[in-house]
Amino acid sequence: MAAKPKSRTVLEPLADSAVDTNNSPIKSVSLSKLSDTETLVYLGTLSGTLLLYSLKYSPDSPPGISFLRRVSISGTGSSVNSIHPLAHIGKVVVHCDGSLFLLDDKLLQPAKRISLIKGVTACCRKFRIQKLGNNPFPQTSNGGSYTNHNYANATNSNGNSLFAIGMGKKLVLAELILSGSLVILKEIQGIFDGTIMNLVWVDDSLVFGSKTGYYLYNCVNGQCGLIFSLPDSSSSPQLKLLARECRVLLMVDNVGIIVDTEGQPVGGSLVFKEVPDSIGEIGSYVVGVRNAEVELYHKKTGDCVQRFMVVGDGGGGLCIVNGEENESGKLLVITTCSKVLCYRKVSGEEQIKDLLRKKNFKETISLVEELQSEGELTKEMLSFVHAQVGFLLLFDLHFEEAVDHFLLSETMQPSELFPFILRDPNRWTLMVPRNRYWGLHPPPAPLENVIDDGLTAIQRAVFLKKAGVETAVSDEFHLNPPSRADLLESAIQNMIRYLQACRDRDLTHSVREGVDTLLMYLYRALNRVDDMERLASSENSCVVEELEALLNDSGHLRALAFLYARKGMSAKALGIWRILARNYSQGRYYRGQSEETGSTRENKDTTTDLNVSSRNVIFGRETAALEASRILEESSDQELVLQHLGWIADINQMLAVQVLISEKRTNQLSPDDVIAAIDLKKVEILQRYLQWLIEEQYSDDTRFHTTYALLLAKSALETYEMELSTQNSSAGMLKNEMYVSEFGEDSIFDTPVRERLQIFLESSDLYDAEDVLDLIEESELWLEKAILYRKLGHETLVLQILALKLEDCEAAEQYCVEIGRPDAYMQLLEMYLNPKDGREPMFKAAVRLLHNHGEMLDPLQVLERLSPTMPLQLASDTILRMLRARLHHHRQGQIVHNMSRALDIDASLARLEERSRHVLINDESVCSSCHARLGTKLFAMYPDDTVVCYKCFRRQGESTSVTGRNFEKDPLAKPGWLVTR
């Protein structure tokens, strides 16, 4: 079944002329291009007449076709079956009356019959000769060989043309030399059935048709095979060379099958409406003509893209069609009984424009992709058409599809959409490209105007449709007209989608500014608060001057604050966060207030509303303080930091501390100015800042150390007093000495204040201990006072506190160990035995002291100080052990003394023995070093009994013997009497 034609215009009339053939129908047509502005058209009639027309076309003048001359080929009245112009030699070969005739291309001379060739049933010229590796014809008649040539010129190196000639059941391959003679190269017969009716020669393959079927002959190996056979009821075989692809179209009734040079089918089939009378080719299309109706089919898709009737004299009859038979052919000639009509191929650009005017967008894109794949359009043109389609769809109110095409266009600039978002004139007006497209859509206008005009057009189309008039408005809008609000929302959402995608592209700075700024405009239009804040707080190119009034008026202060902060306008950003924190506290503002309407809240429970509102207040204030602190952490502007420190501290002291101790800023703040600026009521902030200065910045300023110690001491006193006052109260707010804020946040410090005070007093030596002692002297902070007294060297007071106030025996004993004097232990023992103030003696502590450190005490003094009232059973064992240890210590000293004396005597005896040693030298004695006889020479003896002459002794030295032993480093030990016994 024939394909339904698409509404595309591929061919358009160029020129036409009446034909005077003396009532003889046209049998064949051929074209020969002389120049870029002139083409010769040859028409052959059934009566054997050859007509010549000249088709001229140029940009400066209208095209026209004119008759030049006619010539009679054969006197027998036989038809002109085929015409073969040879433009390179200015000749024309004509097949007529079973013979071949040669004429000049202007038909100035009479036709000359080519000899040796008779009974010709079909003839064709070789197309696209290539260089052959194993050429069956190694030499031409002139000694030449086959070589490459221009695309459609089937000639050899000498300009000779090659022809394939069918003579009944015989196939002849011949060469037409320049002199006009035909040289037969090869004859093939008896390898196929039927009479050759038509043939095509492409490269090394000959395809020919007969009544029985289509055959393929290979000129290299000489093999001939059947491609496929034709049924008896089939119409006459038709062949058509497809020059663009170097393939052949084989017709079987109304079906066209395309095969390659191997005879293999390629692609799909072309299904014509009826069996065509004639077939032509132009570009990527096959043209079929039947009963004055012309059909154009695309070779790859098989779609019928155009169908029209040939305008003739109304007489009907056979129509013949032919093209230029080359890959770039753009002309097509169709003849009727009385007329010759010339058509030109519409350029791809014009076809695209025509489809766009008809709003066939899908077919437009299909055509563009097709033309691009065929190399007729560039990738840039594809992007251009996508953008053009996008604009047409946008004005047709199909915003999603429009943006889809915008995103497919690589050449479209985001600035082209700026006029749809922001009214002219504006900052980016001059950046918008002008007249970039084909004028198929209105000029850019704000989206509101585009939608209003589109809705007006829809209303008009509905009215016209009721009146029976067809319009270009889509059926979707006819059946379900959209509302203005829905269209505007869809338009903005899709504009956002496009601008978001553009942010990832490589844009100029000014265009990037426009993209981000207008994106913020669109977010605000849809009240997309999260997106606004995300864009403002991330890396962006928004122009603050264009947005600050807009965001301020619409109440999107958070987004404006983020934007200020990102652009380095810290003072303005902090001002907004301060206002927001105050408004949150007063209940006048909470995040997302513009998103929640009264209708969604009127049915909520009152208690729930209050809880949610309270949480919003807390969350809002904390968020404002958090964002402000992030700005201040990086700021080195001391005045700005101290200006906003107070209100942040009122909300969250931890954030305030983080601002002060931040390491992110380039220049740290002045400690003196910071300490002066901190509110005295914010004691923990001041403590934490001083702690940071001392512990992390290693400050050795005694003022800071003293201030920190006094602050800790004061806080410890207050905490101690609060503990006393709240011991019996269940409503106390202290737990493990950690403060809890009204919002449930922990105190700045994780450790109790007394623990921090004790650690600092113990570790630092730079504070004024007397000032701190004056503050806590009358308090019950005994351990702290013990540390301070220890710093001041008041040993007795320290021992009294540790032993009597705190009753920490271990700490008291450890302090005595630090002192290291026996009198300290005795003093501690006296405190245990006579604690005074009416307290009972601390006998267990005294016994512990005697048990652990009894060796440091004089037993007589201990016995003198023991209380008569002390139970004997508590002290007897300890005193006995102490006395035994004392005796053992005395005896052990005696043993050590005697052992030392014995070793001294042993050493003295050893020295005496060494000095009293004798050595006997005779005449045979020699030096252990130089082996010279000693005789009466002076000699020396080392501790290892080696003897050397005095000369060698001086050279060797006193400490090293001949054996190499160094007695200073490796002394020789001889056992004495004490060791041997």
Side-chain angles (χ1 to χ4, degrees):
M1 184 175 180
K4 182 181 179 180
K6 298 183 178 181
S7 56
R8 188 192 303 180
T9 302
V10 180
L11 293 178
E12 64 177 5
L14 181 65
D16 62 79
S17 175
V19 178
D20 183 10
T21 59
N22 296 325
N23 296 323
S24 177
I26 303 296
K27 175 65 175 177
S28 58
V29 178
S30 185
L31 281 72
S32 177
K33 186 175 182 179
L34 292 183
S35 65
D36 291 338
T37 59
E38 184 178 7
T39 298
L40 297 179
V41 180
Y42 298 92
L43 308 180
T45 66
L46 283 174
S47 60
T49 302
L50 184 63
L51 307 176
L52 175 61
Y53 287 80
S54 174
L55 173 63
K56 295 183 178 181
Y57 44 91
S58 68
D60 302 329
S61 59
I65 184 170
S66 58
F67 173 74
L68 294 183
R69 60 189 55 85
R70 74 176 64 210
V71 62
S72 177
I73 302 300
S74 172
T76 60
S78 299
S79 65
V80 178
N81 295 310
S82 63
I83 307 167
H84 307 279
L86 306 176
H88 64 290
I89 58 174
K91 300 292 184 180
V92 179
V93 175
V94 177
H95 170 210
C96 178
D97 191 23
S99 300
L100 298 180
F101 296 85
L102 186 65
L103 299 90
D104 65 282
D105 59 353
K106 299 296 178 62
L107 306 187
L108 298 176
Q109 302 295 329
K112 176 185 175 183
R113 186 187 299 269
I114 299 176
S115 59
L116 301 178
I117 300 296
K118 293 182 180 180
V120 177
T121 56
C123 174
C124 77
R125 185 181 171 196
K126 183 173 183 179
F127 183 80
R128 194 170 179 251
I129 294 180
Q130 296 179 339
K131 187 175 182 180
L132 302 177
N134 11 348
N135 193 343
F137 315 125
Q139 296 276 334
T140 64
S141 58
N142 293 330
S145 61
Y146 293 94
T147 59
N148 290 332
H149 64 287
N150 292 334
Y151 182 78
N153 294 332
T155 61
N156 59 22
S157 59
N158 296 321
N160 299 338
S161 299
L162 301 175
F163 283 85
I165 304 167
M167 302 168 64
K169 295 185 177 182
K170 181 170 67 173
L171 181 63
V172 176
L173 305 182
E175 176 185 3
L176 180 67
I177 60 178
L178 296 178
S179 62
S181 302
L182 197 64
V183 178
I184 296 177
L185 303 176
K186 191 173 185 178
E187 293 186 5
I188 305 104
Q189 61 183 350
I191 56 175
F192 51 87
D193 296 331
T195 300
I196 298 175
M197 302 181 67
N198 41 40
L199 51 80
V200 170
W201 190 359
V202 182
D203 289 343
D204 299 325
S205 301
L206 268 165
V207 180
F208 53 92
S210 68
K211 270 289 186 182
T212 58
Y214 292 104
Y215 296 85
L216 173 68
Y217 176 77
N218 190 292
C219 299
V220 177
N221 54 31
Q223 293 183 356
C224 182
L226 178 68
I227 299 177
F228 56 82
S229 58
L230 294 174
D232 296 337
S233 60
S234 176
S235 58
S236 299
Q238 291 190 70
L239 293 177
K240 180 61 185 177
L241 168 67
L242 303 181
R244 185 183 181 93
E245 295 84 8
C246 295
R247 293 170 180 169
V248 182
L249 177 67
L250 311 179
M251 292 300 300
V252 181
D253 293 333
N254 68 324
V255 178
I257 301 171
I258 300 175
V259 298
D260 59 15
T261 55
E262 302 295 329
Q264 298 298 321
V266 240
S269 302
L270 307 181
V271 182
F272 293 87
K273 186 178 180 181
E274 296 182 69
V275 179
D277 295 331
S278 179
I279 302 172
E281 178 199 24
I282 183 166
S284 301
Y285 306 93
V286 172
V287 184
V289 183
R290 171 79 176 189
N291 296 331
E293 185 177 26
V294 181
E295 293 178 326
L296 266 78
Y297 288 84
H298 194 276
K299 297 175 186 175
K300 288 185 178 179
T301 64
D303 295 331
C304 180
V305 297
Q306 188 179 4
R307 182 178 291 160
F308 60 91
M309 297 297 296
V310 174
V311 181
D313 60 355
L318 188 69
C319 291
I320 304 298
V321 60
N322 205 351
E324 295 181 87
E325 292 193 350
N326 59 61
E327 64 173 353
S328 58
K330 296 181 179 179
L331 295 177
L332 191 76
V333 173
I334 301 177
T335 63
T336 65
C337 293
S338 59
K339 219 169 190 182
V340 54
L341 301 101
C342 299
Y343 293 85
R344 75 173 182 91
K345 180 185 176 185
V346 179
S347 67
E349 183 175 313
E350 292 299 326
Q351 292 184 53
I352 294 168
K353 288 181 182 179
D354 181 60
L355 290 174
L356 290 177
R357 291 187 186 98
K358 299 173 182 177
K359 298 187 182 297
N360 292 334
F361 301 127
K362 291 183 179 180
E363 191 172 345
T364 300
I365 299 302
S366 175
L367 172 61
V368 173
E369 292 174 348
E370 170 190 309
L371 294 174
Q372 184 194 10
S373 66
E374 294 171 358
E376 295 187 22
L377 285 183
T378 62
K379 189 176 182 180
E380 289 73 17
M381 177 57 80
L382 175 61
S383 295
F384 175 87
V385 173
H386 272 300
Q388 177 70 85
V389 171
F391 280 112
L392 290 170
L393 286 168
L394 188 146
F395 281 98
D396 282 350
L397 309 185
H398 296 284
F399 300 111
E400 183 176 357
E401 295 89 339
V403 169
D404 289 341
H405 283 283
F406 289 152
L407 292 174
L408 293 173
S409 174
E410 297 180 2
T411 58
M412 179 177 170
Q413 294 298 316
S415 56
E416 297 179 45
L417 293 185
F418 290 177
F420 293 95
I421 303 171
L422 203 61
R423 294 183 181 274
D424 290 333
N426 56 65
R427 179 186 292 263
W428 299 280
T429 297
L430 298 179
M431 294 173 49
V432 181
R434 304 295 179 183
N435 302 322
R436 279 197 61 197
Y437 299 98
W438 291 325
L440 302 179
H441 60 79
L447 288 174
E448 294 87 346
N449 296 357
V450 172
I451 291 172
D452 291 339
D453 294 343
L455 290 174
T456 303
I458 292 174
Q459 293 173 358
R460 187 185 305 112
V462 171
F463 176 77
L464 291 175
K465 189 166 187 179
K466 290 180 180 178
V469 180
E470 291 296 327
T471 63
V473 177
S474 65
D475 293 337
E476 177 187 354
F477 287 162
H478 276 300
L479 300 175
N480 187 19
S483 67
R484 185 179 188 276
D486 292 341
L487 287 173
L488 185 58
E489 182 178 358
S490 174
I492 295 175
Q493 286 177 345
N494 285 284
M495 285 292 181
I496 289 174
R497 182 163 63 95
Y498 178 74
L499 294 180
Q500 285 175 334
C502 288
R503 296 193 75 210
D504 298 329
R505 292 169 53 181
D506 185 17
L507 306 174
T508 63
H509 178 67
S510 55
V511 173
R512 190 171 292 280
E513 284 184 341
V515 168
D516 286 355
T517 303
L518 297 187
L519 195 55
M520 187 70 77
Y521 266 90
L522 298 176
Y523 284 152
R524 188 205 63 84
L526 295 183
N527 198 32
R528 289 168 60 166
V529 179
D530 290 337
D531 290 328
M532 293 172 65
E533 295 178 2
R534 189 179 300 110
L535 174 61
S537 59
S538 63
E539 187 67 34
N540 65 78
S541 300
C542 293
V543 180
V544 178
E545 295 80 2
E546 295 286 333
L547 294 172
E548 54 186 346
L550 178 76
L551 298 178
N552 192 36
D553 294 343
S554 63
H556 294 94
L557 298 182
R558 285 170 52 89
L560 183 57
F562 283 127
L563 189 59
Y564 279 144
R566 176 56 64 175
K567 298 303 178 182
M569 306 168 72
S570 302
K572 289 187 175 182
L574 291 168
I576 291 180
W577 288 121
R578 187 171 188 171
I579 293 172
L580 288 176
R582 184 171 62 248
N583 290 347
Y584 279 124
S585 301
Q586 297 173 358
R588 295 201 300 257
Y589 186 97
Y590 62 91
R591 186 178 183 276
Q593 63 178 0
S594 56
E595 299 171 292
E596 188 170 1
T597 63
S599 61
T600 62
R601 291 173 52 85
E602 61 185 4
N603 295 326
K604 292 182 179 178
D605 183 78
T606 305
T607 303
T608 304
D609 283 351
L610 290 175
N611 292 336
V612 171
S613 178
S614 176
R615 285 195 298 270
N616 284 333
V617 169
I618 296 170
F619 174 79
R621 294 180 67 227
E622 294 284 342
T623 302
L626 176 62
E627 297 299 337
S629 69
R630 287 175 178 170
I631 298 172
L632 293 176
E633 284 177 18
E634 299 179 0
S635 175
S636 297
D637 186 343
Q638 179 170 299
E639 182 180 352
L640 186 65
V641 173
L642 299 181
Q643 177 186 350
H644 292 276
L645 182 65
W647 68 268
I648 295 177
D650 292 338
I651 297 174
N652 191 315
Q653 294 190 21
M654 183 65 75
L655 294 177
V657 170
Q658 195 59 41
V659 168
L660 295 176
I661 67 175
S662 172
E663 301 286 348
K664 297 178 182 178
R665 59 174 56 96
T666 306
N667 301 318
Q668 290 299 328
L669 308 177
S670 169
D672 292 329
D673 294 338
V674 171
I675 293 172
I678 296 176
D679 187 353
L680 296 179
K681 297 180 181 179
K682 304 292 190 301
V683 178
E684 284 195 344
I685 296 178
L686 185 54
Q687 289 178 3
R688 181 66 184 92
Y689 180 68
L690 288 170
Q691 181 187 30
W692 175 75
L693 285 176
I694 295 169
E695 296 180 3
E696 298 181 35
Q697 300 300 305
Y698 307 107
S699 173
D700 56 0
D701 193 324
T702 56
R703 297 176 302 153
F704 299 152
H705 284 254
T706 302
T707 303
Y708 183 47
L710 291 172
L711 288 172
L712 289 176
K714 186 177 180 180
S715 296
L717 289 172
E718 293 174 354
T719 302
Y720 183 75
E721 292 173 358
M722 290 179 64
E723 286 177 347
L724 292 178
S725 63
T726 57
Q727 281 180 353
N728 299 321
S729 174
S730 60
M733 296 180 61
L734 288 172
K735 183 179 181 181
N736 297 327
E737 295 190 45
M738 293 178 62
Y739 289 99
V740 179
S741 70
E742 59 176 324
F743 298 136
E745 293 190 351
D746 293 338
S747 170
I748 291 177
F749 299 100
D750 296 330
T751 55
V753 64
R754 287 195 63 183
E755 182 179 339
R756 287 183 279 118
L757 173 60
Q758 294 162 9
I759 293 173
F760 179 71
L761 294 178
E762 190 73 40
S763 60
S764 175
D765 295 324
L766 299 176
Y767 59 88
D768 190 331
E770 293 183 355
D771 288 349
V772 181
L773 188 59
D774 291 342
L775 180 62
I776 66 172
E777 194 166 13
E778 302 299 327
S779 69
E780 297 295 321
L781 304 180
W782 294 110
L783 181 56
E784 291 80 353
K785 288 193 284 185
I787 296 172
L788 292 171
Y789 284 134
R790 176 176 169 274
K791 293 282 185 181
L792 295 173
H794 300 166
E795 298 174 356
T796 302
L797 294 176
V798 174
L799 287 174
Q800 287 177 351
I801 293 173
L802 295 177
L804 304 180
K805 295 294 183 181
L806 299 178
E807 296 184 1
D808 190 344
C809 300
E810 183 178 355
E813 293 174 10
Q814 183 62 35
Y815 184 60
C816 290
V817 173
E818 287 184 23
I819 296 174
R821 301 192 311 272
D823 63 308
Y825 293 96
M826 189 58 67
Q827 187 178 15
L828 180 58
L829 181 61
E830 289 178 356
M831 291 180 187
Y832 286 151
L833 297 176
N834 186 19
K836 299 180 182 180
D837 296 332
R839 297 179 59 181
E840 294 292 330
M842 302 170 65
F843 294 128
K844 290 184 179 180
V847 171
R848 172 191 168 96
L849 177 63
L850 294 174
H851 178 77
N852 292 335
H853 304 281
E855 70 277 3
M856 300 299 294
L857 298 171
D858 187 342
L860 294 178
Q861 293 182 6
V862 172
L863 291 174
E864 289 175 356
R865 286 170 173 76
L866 285 179
S867 171
T869 59
M870 182 176 182
L872 184 60
Q873 64 271 20
L874 290 177
S876 60
D877 292 340
T878 300
I879 295 173
L880 182 60
R881 187 166 54 252
M882 184 179 67
L883 292 173
R884 286 176 178 172
R886 189 79 173 181
L887 179 61
H888 175 73
H889 180 71
H890 173 70
R891 289 178 176 175
Q892 189 177 26
Q894 287 179 329
I895 292 172
V896 171
H897 173 72
N898 292 331
M899 287 292 292
S900 298
R901 187 167 176 272
L903 289 174
D904 181 63
I905 293 172
D906 186 35
S908 299
L909 180 59
R911 283 196 300 272
L912 180 60
E913 289 179 353
E914 287 295 318
R915 289 174 180 174
S916 61
R917 281 198 305 161
H918 294 80
V919 62
L920 179 63
I921 299 298
N922 55 31
D923 293 338
E924 301 299 325
S925 300
V926 296
C927 175
S928 300
S929 178
C930 65
H931 304 291
R933 293 183 182 276
L934 295 176
T936 58
K937 297 178 182 177
L938 291 175
F939 64 90
M941 185 175 67
Y942 287 99
D944 59 356
D945 297 335
T946 57
V947 178
V948 296
C949 64
Y950 188 73
K951 182 180 179 181
C952 293
F953 173 74
R954 291 290 301 272
R955 185 180 69 251
Q956 196 77 20
E958 297 181 357
S959 59
T960 305
S961 70
V962 179
T963 60
R965 185 169 186 170
N966 190 328
F967 299 105
E968 290 183 354
K969 297 181 180 179
D970 185 16
L972 183 64
K974 293 184 179 182
W977 67 272
L978 182 61
V979 177
T980 55
R981 288 183 183 180

